[in-house]
């Protein structure tokens, strides 16, 4: 939940919450409308369970607004078990339809009548901007509709009195990510998963035959999917509705493709949004592009149109967590609403849940379309938000290399090194750093095998073409080691002198952080270390101080979630079975906790929240109760280091003994599969953007000292670059020391612990729950001075 710089709410806040925000006597209707999106079910599940949890009645409204107009068996009260086992299902179980009737006043009259009969005066709408606009109109007309129904004798005057106002909260479910005001809409991340799976598969066949592939992705009016997938797979060219190619693009594109072939690149990938246009607003189709490449260059070219594949499949871990957080926040917003509260939309800013005025967001979304229609393309890109603009600029920098003669030389050599355990997305980060470095005029040096390789002189200059195709590779191509620089300081200093290294980018986990502290401490002895050094966090454990996220954690989370889905399926088949699953993460419970939220676990044991035998006992009792319902399976996650004595084996044995005759038990240690695999779209994109930003910081530091030959002595020249709440921050490692628990290798404060109660509520535990103080709406686009952390 969101707590804007509010002081920590005292523990008694939950009592306050229940008294002031009890849902007793409230009836909430939940519907999904418009095009479907993966993760809608997770949102429906969260709304239903949170609603029941606070004592409200929750009704499914089947088939969107059509069901609301038709009424009858389309509006049905939901219970706890109605939403069991839907977390991992794509689409929406309550159905969605485009509805003509609701656009007429007669249709809305029928809908209002159906809702009033059941006492539903709170609506939770999950859909795109059209669906949300419909809800807004419905809310503004509500009292008029009721008066008319009373005049026609359809409802009583008493009902008008009692149900006099309607409250509406929206959640944006749309794979296009085309809604202004929210960083990510539900379904976008999953759609990117589908696209990237296809691109990865196509790359191997294209490479075998030296082919050019034109891929058409969804996005009639919004190029987000095309842009981010181009960024994530290193496409040669991308066509977007918001940013049409300049006049003469046909020539430029063919030159670019042939240059890439000349650099020994065996394939070309061109990504086209289905709504791509030129500067005259004429459509650019994938067939047109194919014709052009074949006639101009004679390359073997194929077109693949992804179509509805992008809407399908199971939701990613990100979408499940996003939808669960938003669903709970939506119920809280409905409980806090007064008759005067305007319709709001629950959305994500950085990693904070926020509420925004619905109509302002819709109007801004429509402004983008208007700007495109009027050929004001610069405005269109800006209205899409800073995240879209950043993506576009980063893509252009990394895709198109200027001729060497046009790049002013900086005469600086910058080293890039991977430290710690491998994490998916490290290679995307190295690629981005190398290319941004070269475009800023530096010579880039790759250091192989961590600090040990550094000491041994395993250092080579690395060029633009050397990192081609790296974004989709898992693990660490440069090689990485956990060894700290402490015992090699002399040798590393000598190598830095030999290669004239004037700045260092370190990509890694907690060891990288410790290594950076050691290099900082060695500055008095070795002046070679008096250079700008920055660390980009990359570890599956997500335990680096100074950042809410680290590269690789999202991929690991998806691996855990996929495995849990399969295990739950096996447990459902055998009935009355509980699985205990051990996750990685060292002492950091991020993977166990978030994996539990994404997979719908009954409990997650983590080091940060100490537990004893009584807690284990209550979990066993909870599972025993659950086995009496129709949901006869259990899933328990345990972080590998959550307790010295309550080991996975111990918990397994305890559960087996205590559950005798009620359920049986199995255990599963996931192990190193969590470090491997192709990086998820999130990790590719995050790695690319954060690393590019780190290189820009290095360049600006080097420019400051250019020609002055000054040494970098201040502590702010050794930083960790991370995401904190909603901003990208460079924080000096020296200052982060006080925020670190070195013994357990975790930050002292971790944002995701606020989401613990969420998992427990959705698993039917009574817990105290901090309500956000965000009952007031935020302005739609606050242009702050700090950098936006949208990913």
């Amino acid at each position: 939940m969101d707590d804007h710089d509010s002081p920590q709410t005292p523990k008694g806040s939950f009592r306050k919450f229940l008294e002031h925000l009890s849902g007793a006597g409230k009836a909430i209707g939940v519907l999904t409308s418009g095009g479907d999106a993966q993760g809608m079910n997770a949102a429906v599940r969260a709304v239903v369970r949170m609603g029941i949890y606070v004592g409200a009645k929750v009704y499914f409204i089947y088939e969107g607004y059509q069901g609301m107009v038709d009424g009858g068996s389309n509006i049905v009260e939901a219970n706890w078990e109605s939403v069991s086992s839907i977390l991992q299902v794509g689409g929406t179980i309550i159905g969605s339809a485009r509805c003509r009737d609701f656009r007429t006043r007669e249709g809305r009259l029928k809908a209002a009548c159906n809702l009033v009969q059941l006492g539903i005066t709170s609506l939770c709408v999950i859909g795109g901007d059209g669906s949300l606009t419909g809800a807004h109109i419905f809310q503004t007309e509500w009292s008029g509709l009721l008066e008319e129904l009373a005049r026609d004798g359809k409802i009583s005057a008493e009902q008008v009195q009692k149900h006099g106002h309607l409250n509406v909260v929206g959640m944006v479910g749309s794979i296009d990510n085309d809604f202004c005001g929210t960083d990510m809409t539900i379904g976008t991340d999953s759609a990117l998963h589908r696209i990237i799976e296809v691109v990865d598969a196509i790359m191997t066949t294209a490479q075998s035959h030296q082919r050019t592939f034109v891929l058409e992705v969804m996005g009639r009016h919004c190029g987000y999917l095309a842009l981010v997938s181009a960024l994530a797979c290193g496409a040669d060219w991308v066509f977007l509705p918001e940013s049409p190619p300049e006049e003469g693009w046909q020539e430029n594109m063919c030159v670019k493709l042939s240059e890439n072939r000349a650099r020994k690149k065996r394939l070309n990938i061109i990504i086209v949004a289905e709504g791509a246009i030129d500067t005259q607003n004429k459509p650019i189709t994938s067939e047109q592009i194919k014709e052009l490449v074949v006639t101009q260059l004679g390359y073997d070219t194929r077109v693949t149109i992804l179509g509805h594949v992008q809407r399908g499949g199971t939701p990613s871990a990100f979408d499940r967590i996003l939808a669960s957080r938003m669903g709970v926040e939506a119920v809280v917003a409905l409980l806090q609403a007064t008759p005067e509260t305007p319709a709001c939309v629950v959305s994500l800013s950085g990693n904070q849940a926020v509420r925004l005025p619905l109509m302002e967001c819709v109007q801004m979304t429509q402004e983008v379309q208007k700007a495109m229609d009027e050929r004001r393309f610069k405005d269109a890109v800006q209205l899409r938000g800073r995240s879209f603009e950043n993506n576009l600029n980063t893509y252009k920098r990394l895709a198109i290399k200027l001729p060497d003669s046009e790049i002013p030389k900086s005469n600086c050599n910058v080293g890039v090194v991977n430290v710690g355990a491998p994490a998916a997305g490290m290679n995307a980060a190295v690629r981005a750093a190398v290319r941004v470095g070269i475009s800023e005029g530096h010579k880039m040096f790759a250091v192989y095998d961590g600090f040990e390789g550094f000491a041994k002189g395993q250092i080579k200059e690395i060029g633009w073409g050397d990192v081609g195709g790296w974004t989709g590779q898992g693990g660490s191509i440069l090689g990485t080691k956990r060894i700290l620089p402490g015992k090699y300081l002399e040798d590393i200093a000598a190598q830095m002198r030999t290669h004239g290294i004037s700045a260092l980018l370190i990509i890694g986990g907690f060891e990288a952080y410790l290594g950076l502290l050691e290099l900082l401490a060695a500055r008095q002895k070795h002046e070679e270390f008096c250079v700008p050094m920055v660390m980009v966090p990359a570890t599956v454990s997500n335990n680096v101080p100074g950042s809410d996220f680290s590269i690789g954690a999202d991929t690991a989370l998806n691996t855990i979630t996929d495995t849990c889905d399969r295990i739950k399926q096996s447990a459902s088949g055998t009935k009355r079975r509980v699985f205990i699953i051990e996750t990685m993460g060292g002492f950091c419970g991020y993977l166990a906790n978030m994996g539990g939220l994404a997979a719908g676990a009954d409990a997650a044991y983590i080091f940060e929240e100490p537990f004893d035998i009584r807690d284990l006992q209550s979990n066993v009792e909870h599972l025993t109760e659950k086995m009496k319902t129709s949901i006869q399976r259990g899933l328990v996650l345990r972080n590998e280091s959550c307790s010295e004595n309550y080991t996975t084996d111990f918990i397994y044995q305890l559960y087996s003994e205590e559950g005798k005759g009620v359920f049986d038990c199995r255990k599963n240690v996931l192990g190193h599969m969590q470090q491997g695999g192709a990086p998820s779209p999130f990790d590719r994109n995050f790695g690319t953007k954060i690393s590019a930003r780190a290189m820009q910081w290095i360049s600006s530091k080097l420019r400051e000292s250019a020609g002055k030959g000054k040494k970098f002595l201040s502590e702010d020249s050794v930083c960790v670059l991370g995401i904190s709440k909603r901003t990208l921050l460079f924080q000096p490692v020296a200052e982060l020391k006080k925020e670190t628990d070195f013994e357990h290798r975790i930050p002292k404060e971790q944002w995701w612990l606020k989401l613990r109660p969420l998992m427990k509520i959705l698993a039917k535990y009574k817990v105290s729950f901090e309500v956000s103080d965000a009952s007031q709406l935020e302005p739609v686009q606050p242009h702050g001075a700090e950098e936006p952390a949208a990913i």
Side-chain angles (χ1 to χ4, degrees):
M1 307 308 314
D2 193 59
D3 53 7
H4 294 278
D5 318 315
S6 61
Q8 284 293 311
T9 324
K11 273 290 166 261
S13 66
F14 189 52
R15 305 282 85 75
K16 175 187 85 178
F17 164 42
L18 274 186
E19 283 151 27
H20 291 257
L21 289 179
S22 158
K26 267 214 166 165
I28 300 173
V30 58
L31 71 147
T32 51
S33 168
D36 69 315
Q38 307 94 321
M40 279 184 166
N41 286 329
V44 170
R45 169 181 179 265
V47 170
V48 169
R49 291 196 167 172
M50 184 65 180
I52 292 172
Y53 181 81
V54 294
K57 281 186 164 180
V58 185
Y59 289 87
F60 283 153
I61 300 174
Y62 287 99
E63 312 306 336
Y65 288 118
Q66 193 63 55
M68 202 192 288
V69 174
D70 297 344
S73 61
N74 288 306
I75 308 180
V76 180
E77 190 176 345
N79 62 25
W80 194 271
E81 290 160 46
S82 337
V83 289
S84 169
S85 299
I86 66 168
L87 195 55
Q88 64 271 32
V89 181
T92 159
I93 59 154
I94 53 176
S96 176
R98 313 233 181 234
C99 175
R100 288 253 169 80
D101 300 348
F102 194 74
R103 294 193 176 153
T104 64
R105 191 168 164 95
E106 291 73 61
R108 292 194 289 273
L109 267 172
K110 283 185 195 161
C113 185
N114 291 329
L115 294 186
V116 170
Q117 304 298 358
L118 294 167
I120 300 173
T121 53
S122 295
L123 267 192
C124 183
V125 183
I126 308 164
D129 56 349
S131 316
L132 299 181
T133 310
H136 170 75
I137 294 168
F138 195 38
Q139 184 190 28
T140 45
E141 290 182 352
W142 182 258
S143 49
L145 293 169
L146 294 203
E147 280 161 22
E148 191 174 327
L149 287 168
R151 277 202 304 277
D152 299 348
K154 300 245 174 73
I155 59 173
S156 65
E158 178 187 37
Q159 281 176 304
V160 176
Q161 188 80 42
K162 194 175 167 201
H163 306 302
H165 62 270
L166 177 74
N167 286 115
V168 173
V169 173
M171 284 185 262
V172 192
S174 149
I175 65 167
D176 293 340
N177 203 19
D178 55 359
F179 195 77
C180 291
T182 173
D183 289 347
M184 283 294 258
T185 58
I186 297 167
T188 306
D189 187 64
S190 303
L192 286 171
H193 272 259
R194 297 300 92 80
I195 295 170
I196 293 300
E197 282 157 17
V198 170
V199 173
D200 285 353
I202 278 176
M203 279 190 153
T204 53
T205 162
Q207 223 146 5
S208 311
H209 295 276
Q210 298 202 29
R211 282 197 174 127
T212 295
F213 268 86
V214 181
L215 281 174
E216 185 179 305
V217 300
M218 279 186 167
R220 263 198 311 275
H221 307 293
C222 177
Y224 184 88
L225 290 177
L227 176 55
V228 174
S229 44
L231 194 59
C233 72
D236 296 80
W237 201 270
V238 64
F239 291 92
L240 313 169
E242 294 88 344
S243 179
E246 291 142 23
E247 292 294 315
W249 60 269
Q250 292 90 337
E251 180 73 20
N252 296 342
M253 184 181 81
C254 291
V255 169
K256 169 95 202 313
L257 296 180
S258 52
E259 273 177 12
N260 280 356
R261 282 290 168 98
R263 287 200 195 102
K264 301 274 191 294
K265 188 174 178 186
R266 292 178 59 92
L267 77 160
N268 305 109
I269 301 253
I270 299 166
I271 292 183
V272 193
E274 61 180 332
I277 46 173
D278 62 17
T279 46
Q280 302 310 305
N281 281 27
K282 291 199 184 69
I284 297 177
T285 66
S286 28
E287 276 305 321
Q288 247 174 290
I289 296 164
K290 176 189 165 170
E291 287 306 303
L292 179 72
V293 176
V294 171
T295 49
Q296 296 284 317
L297 299 167
Y299 291 164
D300 186 357
T301 308
R302 297 282 190 274
V303 173
T304 301
I305 297 175
L306 291 189
H308 282 74
V309 166
Q310 295 160 87
R311 280 193 195 280
T314 176
S316 64
F318 182 94
D319 273 331
R320 297 182 199 193
I321 292 164
L322 172 69
S324 300
R325 288 177 70 180
M326 287 192 184
V328 168
E329 178 75 23
V331 173
V332 175
L334 286 170
L335 294 182
Q336 288 177 336
T338 63
E340 288 72 53
T341 310
C344 77
V345 59
V346 180
S347 96
L348 191 73
S349 174
N351 70 10
Q352 303 279 96
V354 294
R355 298 180 203 165
L356 305 165
L358 186 137
M359 275 328 283
E360 279 183 41
C361 294
V362 169
Q363 277 152 4
M364 209 158 109
T365 305
Q366 287 162 354
E367 282 292 308
V368 182
Q369 191 52 49
K370 203 172 139 217
M372 279 156 48
D373 295 341
E374 293 169 8
R375 311 219 296 258
R376 300 193 323 262
F377 296 111
K378 269 212 165 61
D379 295 351
V381 170
Q382 275 173 342
L383 284 164
R384 275 272 179 250
R386 292 183 286 188
S387 145
F388 190 88
E389 224 177 328
N390 283 351
N391 281 328
L392 189 56
N393 295 334
T394 308
Y395 172 76
K396 285 179 180 163
R397 279 199 95 145
L398 298 176
I400 297 161
K401 182 180 188 298
L402 288 170
D404 288 335
S405 55
E406 286 178 35
I407 304 174
K409 293 283 166 279
S410 69
N411 299 323
C412 292
N413 298 347
V414 179
V416 182
V417 60
N418 287 169
V419 178
M426 277 182 161
N427 300 320
V430 173
R431 168 185 176 268
V434 168
R435 292 198 168 175
V436 170
I438 290 171
S439 74
E440 308 227 311
H442 312 316
K443 270 191 177 167
M444 298 301 297
F445 285 83
V447 179
Y448 294 86
D449 298 337
F451 287 121
E452 190 184 4
F454 207 154
K456 292 182 182 160
Q458 297 171 349
I459 304 168
K460 273 221 311 266
E461 188 177 345
I462 186 165
W464 185 278
D466 299 332
V467 291
W470 278 28
T471 43
Q473 310 274 337
S476 160
I477 298 174
L478 294 184
T480 178
K481 284 232 162 69
R482 286 177 177 268
I483 292 165
L484 293 173
K487 51 181 184 186
Y488 297 115
L489 290 168
E490 296 279 333
D491 301 340
I492 294 175
Q495 292 298 337
M496 285 187 68
R497 204 164 46 245
T498 312
H499 293 90
I501 288 184
S502 33
L504 202 53
L505 172 66
I506 302 176
I507 299 165
F510 204 82
E511 278 85 7
Y513 170 71
L514 294 174
L516 208 49
L517 282 167
E518 289 184 3
L519 294 177
L520 172 65
R523 274 182 167 181
Q524 281 101 355
K525 255 187 153 172
H526 305 282
E527 60 168 17
E528 290 81 4
F529 299 137
C530 298
V531 297
M533 298 192 243
V534 62
M535 168 189 167
V536 168
T539 163
V540 297
S541 308
N542 197 22
N543 62 339
V544 176
S547 190
D548 290 351
F549 291 108
S550 62
I551 300 166
D554 183 71
T555 305
L557 206 49
N558 277 297
T559 305
I560 292 167
T561 309
D562 291 347
T563 312
C564 287
D565 286 350
R566 293 180 185 191
I567 285 171
K568 267 170 85 170
Q569 208 168 29
S570 135
S572 306
T574 31
K575 292 275 183 295
R576 295 174 178 260
R577 176 164 284 178
V578 174
F579 271 91
I580 292 156
I581 295 174
E582 180 184 306
T583 67
M584 287 175 109
F587 283 98
C588 176
Y590 179 82
L591 290 179
N593 187 64
M594 300 307 249
L597 192 54
D602 295 284
Y605 299 117
I606 61 172
F607 167 77
E608 291 88 347
E609 191 175 284
F611 58 97
D612 58 22
I613 197 76
R614 286 180 294 277
D615 298 303
L616 292 170
Q617 184 60 39
S618 85
N619 290 144
V620 171
E621 285 161 12
H622 190 267
L623 283 165
T624 310
E625 283 305 300
K626 185 177 175 181
M627 295 298 162
K628 294 175 187 162
T629 69
S630 60
I631 320 171
Q632 300 184 342
R633 54 170 166 66
L635 183 67
V636 175
L637 271 65
R638 178 191 173 273
N639 158 269
E640 58 185 353
S641 308
C642 65
S643 161
E644 208 177 329
N645 296 313
Y646 298 138
T647 59
T648 303
D649 287 331
F650 176 90
I651 294 177
Y652 163 68
Q653 284 160 348
L654 178 84
Y655 273 57
S656 300
E657 184 59 38
E658 295 292 316
K660 257 194 191 142
V662 185
F663 57 81
D664 67 351
C665 232
R666 293 286 183 274
K667 62 173 180 179
N668 200 338
V669 177
L670 297 185
H672 279 74
M673 65 189 268
Q674 294 163 86
Q675 278 181 7
S680 66
F682 180 96
D683 279 332
R684 296 182 194 198
N685 191 12
F686 179 47
T688 298
K689 280 166 70 170
I690 195 169
S691 178
R693 185 65 196 87
M695 268 321 291
Q696 288 168 320
W697 178 85
I698 284 178
S699 296
S700 69
K701 285 277 185 227
L702 292 173
R703 273 196 296 276
E704 280 168 28
S705 76
K708 299 182 193 146
K710 87 171 171 71
K711 292 270 172 265
F712 289 86
L713 299 168
S714 63
E715 291 184 338
D716 66 358
S717 59
V718 183
C719 283
V720 172
L721 170 57
I723 282 189
S724 170
K725 288 215 171 115
R726 305 190 196 176
T727 44
L728 269 177
L729 283 183
F730 288 91
Q731 298 180 72
V733 277
E735 283 173 25
L736 289 171
K737 261 160 79 169
K738 58 180 183 294
E739 295 171 26
T740 311
D741 169 351
F742 285 99
E743 185 192 347
H744 299 106
R745 303 161 51 99
I746 50 176
K748 286 179 183 167
E749 298 259 310
Q750 303 188 79
W751 69 274
W752 51 266
L753 284 168
K754 279 194 310 204
L755 303 187
R756 285 282 290 167
L758 218 68
M759 187 190 89
K760 293 178 183 172
I761 287 171
L762 297 176
K764 216 171 186 174
Y765 281 93
K766 285 271 175 269
V767 293
S768 65
F769 186 63
E770 267 178 45
V771 188
S772 55
D773 300 345
S775 40
Q776 64 287 0
L777 297 182
E778 300 215 349
V780 177
Q781 241 191 339
H783 281 286
E786 76 281 14
E787 289 195 47
I791 298 176

